[in-house]
Amino acid sequence: MADTFPDIKSKHSLVAKYVTEPLWEKLSMVKTKTSGFTLSKAIACAVQFDNQHCGIYAGDWDTYKDFAAVFDPLIQEYHGISADSVHTSDMDVTKIQGNIDPKAPVHSTRIRVGRSIDGFGLSPGITKDQRLGVENLMKKAFANLAGDLAGTYFPLTGMNEKVRQQLVDDHFLFVSGDPNLKVAGMERDWPEGRGIFHNKDKTFLTWVNEEDQLRIISMQSGGDVKAVFDRLARGIKAVGDSVKAESGRDFMLDAKYGYVHSCPTNLGTGMRAS
């Protein structure tokens, strides 16, 4: 028997449009294999808040497959893609032509992507053991990075106050308290299994187990976008290769939707630049 159909407070959200009573009857009792995630957990933000546009999260890669009747049309509307679309990605830095005018008053440039390691849940659904498994794997993977990407991993658990303050001053530290992340289940067991890696120059960073398993970030002062992208592309490959060497696992990559993230708005390259 299906759970009671929820009162979706975000009436104009994509969840309200695509989570219909017939689909709820069909899917509300389904639990994903990787993390035991449910449709009820996926739409928690749209149910609790009245300000959501999308309002849905995935707890693992299975979520996108098991609840495809909801996710597929929602993703296609949000991203403006067709049902038969195929993901393409090109991280070849040599194809970047030109750069920001050096005279332009640009304070800093930052480009990030999200990445998720196959076999573990995504932040809204990931189990405690899986989260610790991601962190332990990344500790080994970070130790393999070389050259300008080499650096140090700082776990949030037991973090020295001096280290914490320095990361705050550098604007590197992510913190708890975001209402969306809390309701979506992403702050369970805080701060265990979470941390930050950065290289010696503080131009290459990776957040571990925040909204996504990994947020890989390249940044520096000024407006040299090409240099920032070059470091990001090298960093993504180095992290991916190291994870593969340590565990045999790849990043989750869906043929249709690209790199898998906890929030469907990030599907594709998972990239943001600012």
Side-chain angles (χ1 to χ4, degrees), residues 56-112:
I56 196 166
Y57 288 98
D60 43 36
W61 196 352
D62 312 352
T63 303
Y64 287 106
K65 302 167 186 174
D66 293 351
F67 306 114
V70 171
F71 275 91
D72 282 354
L74 185 152
I75 290 164
Q76 288 155 22
E77 176 170 337
Y78 181 87
H79 288 280
I81 58 175
S82 64
D84 58 355
S85 65
V86 177
H87 172 73
T88 57
S89 179
D90 189 346
M91 298 292 287
D92 184 354
V93 68
T94 64
K95 294 181 181 177
I96 296 178
Q97 302 297 317
N99 213 331
I100 291 176
D101 187 336
K103 296 173 191 166
V106 177
H107 177 68
S108 64
T109 304
R110 178 183 187 269
I111 311 174
R112 66 87 167 155

Side-chain angles (χ1 to χ4, degrees), residues 112 174 206:
R112 66 87 167 155
F174 58 88
T206 303

Side-chain angles (χ1 to χ4, degrees), residues 211-229:
E211 182 176 332
D212 285 305
Q213 288 178 18
L214 305 177
R215 283 280 170 91
I216 303 172
I217 305 162
S218 177
M219 59 191 288
Q220 67 187 51
S221 298
D224 191 348
V225 174
K226 192 167 186 176
V228 173
F229 184 82

Side-chain angles (χ1 to χ4, degrees), residues 2 23 52 95 97-98 153 166 190 204 242 253:
L23 278 179
Q52 304 289 297
K95 294 181 181 177
Q97 302 297 317
Y153 177 72
Q166 185 61 58
W190 183 274
F204 180 69
S242 187
L253 179 59

Side-chain angles (χ1 to χ4, degrees), residues 163-213:
V163 170
R164 191 195 72 80
Q165 191 57 53
Q166 185 61 58
L167 290 168
V168 169
D169 292 344
D170 289 333
H171 304 290
F172 290 172
L173 194 68
F174 58 88
V175 296
S176 64
D178 182 288
N180 268 35
L181 300 193
K182 280 178 123 170
V183 169
M186 296 191 226
E187 296 198 354
R188 291 166 297 121
D189 310 309
W190 183 274
E192 194 174 42
R194 298 159 172 95
I196 298 167
F197 168 88
H198 68 71
N199 67 347
K200 295 181 182 67
D201 295 333
K202 299 181 178 179
T203 55
F204 180 69
L205 294 78
T206 303
W207 291 357
V208 177
N209 286 323
E210 196 237 6
E211 182 176 332
D212 285 305
Q213 288 178 18

